[in-house]
Amino acid sequence: WQSVDNSLSYNKYMITTKVAVENYLLTNIDVSFDTQLNEWIAGVAAEMNKLTDRQLIADAVAADYTYDGNGKTTLLVDDYVAITAIKVDGTNIVADCYLYPTNKTPKWKIETTAVFAKGRQNVVITGKKGYALDANIPADLKWAATVLVACIVNNSNNSSGEIASETIGRYTVSYSTQTQKDDYNRALSIIKNYRRIR
């Protein structure tokens, strides 16, 4: 398995928006704060990737990803919303492959009529890796991201009158009402429900 890319790439990890965070907090965030807010959104998305053990927002453009051949007709891979080529030792076998699960994305299992020849880094998949394209991220995951970012904003706002603080990854989050605390706990529960079982 390849590890999930948790780098801060703003375009790749915009799992929520400034407007959504403002609407949740019922406040306006000054435009001078946008860069910091984008960093927090990217950071929350990266933490959500860690918690779910998957890349939630899929690549916008297909890229090559390398796997070890296992000598079998079935290969379990990361989540993909699209696969355009599957090469084994340089030969494209995508026409001889079946992608699963059937009739839904993401795809994470490939079966072939041939075999994934045993070897190190000899299988190359060209595709868009990830759980869902940005526009198709489930609404509950977007909501969970919004809540977590709002809690980080609360923590940075000394006048928020927080009732409690916790940490998620390298971020400290605060909630100023019992409702926000309940939302924070619900957000974590939603994220855990998307955890990939390997």
Side-chain angles (χ1 to χ4, degrees):
W1 295 98
Q2 287 186 336
S3 61
V4 172
D5 176 10
N6 290 309
S7 61
L8 297 183
S9 172
Y10 300 149
N11 292 332
K12 191 172 188 178
Y13 292 116
M14 296 308 281
I15 197 165
T16 188
T17 64
K18 177 181 179 179
V19 171
V21 174
E22 288 177 326
N23 289 344
Y24 178 81
L25 291 173
L26 298 177
T27 189
N28 291 322
I29 299 173
D30 191 271
V31 70
S32 64
F33 208 61
D34 283 359
T35 299
Q36 180 62 69
L37 185 65
N38 284 341
E39 288 180 8
W40 287 340
I41 291 172
V44 162
E47 289 300 330
M48 289 172 69
N49 284 349
K50 289 178 187 176
L51 290 171
T52 59
D53 195 25
R54 61 191 349 149
Q55 179 179 310
L56 292 172
I57 298 179
D59 301 329
V61 177
D64 291 342
Y65 295 96
T66 305
Y67 298 86
D68 293 342
N70 58 12
K72 300 177 182 178
T73 58
T74 299
L75 186 67
L76 301 180
V77 296
D78 298 293
D79 297 328
Y80 285 86
V81 296
I83 292 177
T84 55
I86 302 167
K87 294 181 180 177
V88 179
D89 294 325
T91 301
N92 191 355
I93 64 165
V94 72
D96 300 319
C97 292
Y98 299 90
L99 307 177
Y100 295 96
T102 306
N103 299 324
K104 73 181 220 180
T105 54
K107 308 293 187 189
W108 49 265
K109 178 178 165 184
I110 303 171
E111 290 189 6
T112 179
T113 54
V115 70
F116 292 102
K118 196 162 188 168
R120 298 224 179 249
Q121 300 180 2
N122 64 327
V123 178
V124 178
I125 295 176
T126 303
K128 296 179 180 179
K129 185 168 82 165
Y131 182 78
L133 291 170
D134 189 17
N136 299 326
I137 286 290
D140 58 346
L141 273 177
K142 287 184 179 180
W143 179 85
T146 300
V147 169
L148 296 183
V149 174
C151 288
I152 294 171
V153 171
N154 271 346
N155 186 66
S156 73
N157 183 1
N158 292 331
S159 64
S160 63
E162 75 254 18
I163 60 173
S165 294
E166 297 184 38
T167 59
I168 177 169
R170 61 187 183 97
Y171 298 96
T172 301
V173 299
S174 299
Y175 18 84
S176 55
T177 67
Q178 184 62 43
T179 298
Q180 287 179 356
K181 180 178 181 180
D182 293 343
D183 284 354
Y184 171 78
N185 289 327
R186 184 170 163 231
L188 290 182
S189 178
I190 288 169
I191 293 166
K192 288 175 185 174
N193 285 339
Y194 283 88
R195 183 166 178 80
R196 179 170 179 158
I197 307 300
R198 295 198 184 269

